[in-house]
Amino acid sequence: MTDYLLGVADLTGELMRVCINCVAVGKENRVQKTSGFIRDIYDVFCRLKVDDREIPKKLEVMKASLQKVEQVCFNMALRGSEYPKEMIMAMNQDQYQEMEE
């Protein structure tokens, strides 16, 4: 069971990457839906009572992935009316690359 949970936790990092790529190609709706899905997974993990020392570590990584995706969603919402769509996509890509470094 623990291996399964760790795999689900790793999935959130991959979903975060999918979100960033979706922004780059202009699929904002998918970013919003995926962000909600990551949030749901994170909320469930926060309530888990599993005695494994890896889960808290994965929870921190999951939280960081969620924050990155939420920042992208925030940028899309905030900047959507101020800048052309292409500029927003470039800004999100640049910000994601900075977070990865």
Side-chain angles (χ1 to χ4, degrees), residues 29-82:
N29 288 340
R30 184 173 286 178
V31 174
Q32 295 292 335
K33 288 179 184 178
T34 306
S35 174
F37 185 56
I38 295 171
R39 166 61 66 189
D40 291 343
I41 294 171
Y42 178 75
D43 289 344
V44 169
F45 266 74
C46 287
R47 293 185 301 233
L48 284 177
K49 302 291 184 210
V50 178
D51 190 26
D52 187 279
R53 61 185 167 163
E54 292 296 315
I55 297 292
K57 295 175 190 175
K58 293 288 185 176
L59 194 58
E60 287 299 315
V61 172
M62 194 183 311
K63 182 179 179 181
S65 293
L66 179 61
Q67 288 173 335
K68 289 175 187 177
V69 171
E70 287 177 340
Q71 184 65 45
V72 166
C73 291
F74 176 75
N75 286 345
M76 287 184 340
L78 182 66
R79 306 283 187 211
S81 62
E82 296 177 9

